């Protein structure tokens, strides 16, 4: 049995708070023991220990982000990023990369400034929401960072004040972390005073839906990177150098995490934005790192930042659906990219750093507003819904409803939103980056590598991984293949690994990629014309790579094909973004050249209606009453059903399954009241057992009899059950029971051909059964993929039951129910003694009967065949 969510949350809180206590203990020991001769803990060791604690806090924050806890997630991930970045700086200092007190000051101060402000904002919001523990921790770490900054500029200030703040955090964290851990271990039996932390959720229903708490961390990372360049502009630090790279790359790594978790929260727009900003963070760090090997500041090619500004602008237009403030915030990044394009030295020049200073201020405001609106029942106006209201007044545009089915893959179930928008955008970035011409001084003098490797490589691999998690095999293959190619080619051509030599060593590998891409091109024939054009133009790029490898590249060919590929990728980016936002009109992506029967045609050939609407259930009921067969959701997997009072429909459903002759159907009812006409034909003990056990995921196999004639099955009764027995069930699913109330008892079989896997999503029903189904009631992914528990009641008259299969409903609970019914009939004198030794068992091998007082009869073999055909 799974643990209750509140207990898991208690564990995550205790792990996180104890991690903060451990990190604070480490820093207070280092602070109190710090002398003029040097620190007590070596810098390298301190850095490694901080990285370990940061990883622990990141784990707690990420796990907690799956539920709505914005303050918890913000505090833990912010402190995790703080200690990750400072830990890396300390490692560089220990290895001699950062030299002297001045070098350490210039390396640490930009990050400490950003986190001082971020933690101050989080603490203020925590006070407003009466989150005492989290706000005290935020304020204490904020003061510790401020004191550390003062100590770096004036050594006489000492480290004692910093250590004192960490002492408070250590003591508070140790008490609350221990209290919550004791609560988890003792199952709430033991709890230290004041550690309950039980708060009433005051959020509205609309706010409860907006649960992407991780975006606050993304905003804090924007604040962090902006701080590095703003401090340089304002003279807070003397220079930009490699000691500040840890802050920039920490921001990049955490924003990639924010991107992934935003897909997990089905927030495609935020995921795309933080994917874009992570590219900038890695590029910023790369340029600072280049100064170690290159005497001159690197040159930035104009095409890439210009194209990047266009992508940011397009994304800003669409993100205004969420709020007007979010769209205006993205415009600062449009200005930032334009500033990079306008100045050849990019990040090192005043104009770019001035925009970063503005981003620093705006990011701080966005952290305050966004965190407050997530945590508080009253909201600061951000223009939320304003653009939607304006668009809804126009007849030309029809916004798509943002619900859980928007990101549902065609087949199966995924917890992630579609990442094709980011994948195609990264292809645009990589393509236009390599249009820059490498000068005679070498590829490292021009900044191309981060755009090709991070945007074209790492983020394409991320998009491919998300596509794979969604069951989109072809799309994931393409993104992963192209991502690997961009990484390999970027490092080889623009990372200084190629050199001046040309030959067939690199050409052989490129030919292999070309062959793989040919298979992708064949697959896209079955997908869409846009995808085919995307794969075809990438093949042209691979040809240009091959020609360059053998030193036979015609002049201008590589620039021409990369521009064509970039434009095709931009159209795919825009089409996916537009079509996911608007129901109509749609940007055309083209029908596939070859269309397989059954794939993608279900919704056009039979009704696919949402289960959450009463009119939809009524429509499916009408189809069943008129002799149709339908796929419907249940408390386990999807099933194919027919009305029992329509014998022709029962026969049709039975024959819909390939080779189903040895797989009989089962009978389902909405309540035991539907068996009332046959009550006098049913054993009283069996009747009371049914009444006590249902509704549930328990199927009961009972003896066949004249009671079956009450349902109007006529000749089709032979398709339900075996000649000796029949499986009957009352499902624990509101939609299913309501449908049965409208139609009457139904005959049920699994919604898949015999021998195939169970159907776990409504999109699979038509794909598997085709024209044999007349309607589908859609309810997204199945709630459970575990089989129902099948109880043998054929010998219940003798006071015994057996088990053909133990599934989602535990065996021990079934026995407890049966024993209570027995005591009712026998006055408490007799229990089901045959199963006393088996009560501890929760699982058995599927399709294995548990014998009760002797051998089961031949009914066992027949029922095993019957249960293969019914819902699992």
């Amino acid at each position: 049995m799974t643990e209750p969510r509140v207990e898991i949350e208690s564990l995550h809180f205790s792990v996180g708070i104890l991690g903060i206590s451990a990190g604070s203990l480490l820093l207070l020991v280092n602070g109190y023991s710090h002398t003029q001769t040097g620190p007590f803990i070596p810098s390298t060791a301190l850095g490694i220990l901080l990285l370990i604690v940061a990883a622990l806090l990141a784990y707690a924050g990420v796990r907690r982000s799956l539920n709505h806890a914005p303050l918890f997630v913000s505090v833990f991930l912010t402190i995790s990023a703080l200690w990750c970045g400072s830990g890396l700086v300390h490692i560089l200092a220990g290895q001699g990369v950062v030299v002297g007190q001045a070098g350490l000051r210039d390396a640490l101060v930009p990050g400490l400034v950003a986190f001082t402000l971020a933690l101050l904002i989080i603490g203020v919001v925590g006070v407003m929401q009466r989150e005492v523990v989290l706000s005290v921790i935020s304020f204490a770490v904020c003061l510790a960072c401020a004191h550390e900054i003062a100590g770096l500029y004036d050594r006489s200030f000492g480290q004692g004040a910093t250590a004192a703040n960490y002492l408070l955090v250590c003591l508070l964290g140790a008490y609350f972390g221990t209290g919550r851990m004791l609560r988890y271990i003792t199952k709430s039996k033991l709890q230290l005073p004041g550690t309950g932390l039980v708060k009433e959720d005051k959020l509205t229903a609309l706010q409860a839906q907006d649960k992407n708490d991780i975006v606050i961390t993304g905003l804090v990372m924007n604040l962090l990177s902006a701080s590095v360049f703003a401090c340089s502009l304002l003279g807070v630090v003397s220079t930009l150098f490699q000691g500040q790279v840890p802050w920039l790359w920490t921001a990049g790594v955490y924003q990639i995490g924010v991107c992934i978790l935003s897909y997990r929260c089905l927030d495609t727009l935020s995921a795309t934005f933080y994917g874009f900003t992570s590219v900038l963070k890695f590029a910023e760090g790369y340029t600072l790192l280049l100064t170690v090997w290159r005497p001159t500041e690197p040159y930035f090619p104009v095409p890439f930042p210009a194209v990047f500004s266009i992508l940011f602008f397009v994304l800003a237009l669409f993100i205004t659906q969420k709020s007007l403030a979010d769209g205006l915030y993205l415009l600062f990044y449009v200005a930032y990219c334009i500033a990079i394009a306008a100045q050849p030295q990019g990040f090192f020049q005043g104009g770019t750093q001035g925009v970063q200073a503005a981003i620093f201020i705006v990011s701080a405001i966005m952290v305050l507003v966004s965190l407050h609106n997530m945590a508080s029942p009253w909201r600061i106006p951000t223009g939320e819904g304003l653009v939607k209201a304006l668009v809804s007044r126009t007849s030309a545009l029809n916004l798509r409803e943002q619900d859980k089915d928007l990101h549902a893959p065609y087949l199966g179930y995924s917890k992630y939103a579609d990442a094709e928008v980011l994948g195609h955008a990264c292809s645009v970035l990589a393509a236009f980056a390599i249009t820059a011409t490498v000068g005679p001084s070498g590829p490292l003098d021009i900044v191309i590598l981060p755009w090709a490797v991070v945007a074209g490589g790492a983020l394409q691999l991320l998009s491919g991984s998300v596509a794979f998690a969604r069951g989109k095999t072809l799309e994931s293959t393409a993104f992963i293949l192209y991502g690997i190619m961009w990484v390999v080619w970027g490092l080889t051509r623009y990372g200084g690994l190629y050199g001046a030599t040309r030959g067939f060593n690199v050409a052989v590998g490129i030919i292999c990629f070309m062959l793989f891409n040919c298979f992708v091109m064949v697959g896209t024939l079955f997908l869409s014309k846009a995808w085919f054009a995307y794969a075809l133009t990438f093949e042209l790029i691979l040809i240009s790579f091959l020609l360059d490898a053998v030193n036979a590249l015609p002049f201008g060919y590589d620039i021409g094909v990369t521009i064509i590929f970039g434009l095709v990728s931009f159209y795919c980016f825009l089409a996916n973004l537009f079509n996911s936002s608007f129901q109509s009109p749609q940007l055309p992506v083209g029908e596939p050249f070859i269309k397989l029967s059954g794939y993608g045609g279900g919704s056009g050939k039979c009704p696919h209606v949402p289960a959450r609407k009463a009119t939809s259930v009524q429509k499916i009921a009408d189809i069943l009453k008129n002799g149709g067969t339908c796929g419907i959701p249940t408390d386990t997997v999807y099933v194919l059903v027919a009305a029992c009072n329509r014998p022709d429909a029962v026969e049709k459903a039975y024959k819909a399954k390939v080779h189903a002759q040895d797989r009989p159907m089962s009978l389902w009812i909405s309540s035991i009241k539907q068996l009332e006409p046959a009550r006098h034909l049913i054993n009283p003990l069996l009747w009371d057992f049914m009444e006590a056990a249902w509704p549930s995921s328990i199927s009961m196999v009972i003896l066949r009899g004249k009671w079956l004639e009450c349902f109007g099955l006529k000749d089709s009764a032979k398709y339900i059950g075996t000649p000796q027995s029949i499986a009957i069930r009352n499902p624990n699913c509101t939609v299913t029971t309501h449908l049965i109330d409208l139609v009457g008892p139904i005959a049920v079989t699994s919604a898949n051909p015999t021998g195939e896997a169970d159907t776990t999503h409504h999109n699979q029903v038509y794909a598997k059964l085709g024209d044999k189904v007349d309607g589908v009631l859609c309810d997204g992914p199945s709630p459970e993929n575990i089989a129902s528990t099948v109880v043998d009641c054929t010998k219940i008259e003798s006071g015994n039951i057996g088990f053909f299969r133990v599934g989602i409903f535990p065996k021990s609970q079934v026995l407890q129910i049966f024993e209570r019914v027995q005591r009712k009939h026998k006055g408490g004198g007799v229990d089901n003694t045959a199963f006393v030794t088996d009560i501890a068992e929760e699982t058995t091998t599927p399709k294995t009967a548990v014998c009760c007082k002797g051998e089961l009869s031949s009914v066992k073999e027949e029922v095993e065949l019957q249960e293969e055909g019914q819902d699992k």
Side-chain angles (χ1 to χ4, degrees), residues 334-497:
V334 175
Y336 182 50
C337 292
I338 293 174
I340 297 173
Q343 297 182 318
Q345 272 70 46
F347 305 132
F348 293 93
Q349 294 190 315
T352 306
Q353 294 178 5
V355 178
Q356 281 282 35
I359 290 175
F360 178 84
I361 298 172
V362 176
S363 296
I365 297 172
M366 288 295 294
V367 170
L368 175 62
V369 173
S370 300
L371 183 57
H372 175 272
N373 287 350
M374 285 185 181
S376 174
W378 62 274
R379 303 172 70 90
I380 299 174
T382 59
E384 184 175 359
L386 180 61
V387 174
K388 283 187 176 182
L390 292 175
V391 172
S392 63
R393 295 181 181 179
T394 65
S395 58
L397 297 175
N398 182 18
L399 282 170
R400 185 181 294 277
E401 183 180 357
Q402 303 292 318
D403 57 17
K404 67 176 184 178
D405 293 329
L406 174 62
H407 299 286
Y410 184 75
L411 295 178
Y413 166 59
S414 175
K415 296 179 180 179
Y416 294 87
D418 203 332
E420 284 194 34
V421 172
L422 179 61
H424 291 303
C426 290
S427 294
V428 177
L429 296 175
F432 280 96
I434 65 173
T435 57
T437 303
V438 177
S441 56
L444 294 181
D445 279 343
I446 184 167
V447 181
I448 300 176
L449 187 62
W451 316 128
V453 173
V454 178
L459 291 185
Q460 285 250 45
L461 292 174
L462 187 154
S463 302
S465 300
V466 173
F468 183 80
R470 292 172 52 76
K472 303 178 78 170
T473 308
L474 179 61
E475 293 91 329
S476 68
T477 302
F479 284 135
I480 291 173
L481 177 68
Y482 298 171
I484 294 173
M485 188 64 225
W486 285 121
V487 170
V488 172
W489 184 250
L491 291 173
T492 303
R493 183 69 178 84
Y494 302 103
L497 302 180

Side-chain angles (χ1 to χ4, degrees), residues 664-707:
M665 305 174 74
S666 59
L667 177 68
W668 284 20
I669 57 176
S670 63
S671 71
I672 198 169
K673 292 181 181 179
Q674 291 186 329
L675 292 177
E676 281 289 348
R679 181 170 183 173
H680 62 286
L681 301 173
I682 298 175
N683 181 276
L685 179 60
L686 175 60
W687 182 272
D688 288 345
F689 184 39
M690 290 177 174
E691 203 168 35
W694 286 340
S696 67
S697 53
I698 298 176
S699 297
M700 297 188 186
V701 179
I702 63 178
L703 292 174
R704 200 180 188 92
K706 293 184 179 180
W707 61 270

Side-chain angles (χ1 to χ4, degrees), residues 321-335:
Q321 298 175 69
K322 299 177 63 178
S323 74
L324 190 60
D326 289 329
L328 294 175
Y329 179 61
L330 262 69
L331 292 181
F332 283 87
Y333 280 91
V334 175

Side-chain angles (χ1 to χ4, degrees), residues 66-68 201 203-213 264-267 322 373-374 379 384 388 401-404:
L66 302 180
N67 304 306
H68 188 61
D201 190 2
L203 298 181
T204 63
L206 180 62
Q207 288 172 297
Q209 295 176 1
D210 184 17
K211 300 196 323 184
N212 191 5
D213 304 336
R264 179 68 174 79
C265 295
L266 305 182
D267 189 353
K322 299 177 63 178
N373 287 350
M374 285 185 181
R379 303 172 70 90
E384 184 175 359
K388 283 187 176 182
E401 183 180 357
Q402 303 292 318
D403 57 17
K404 67 176 184 178

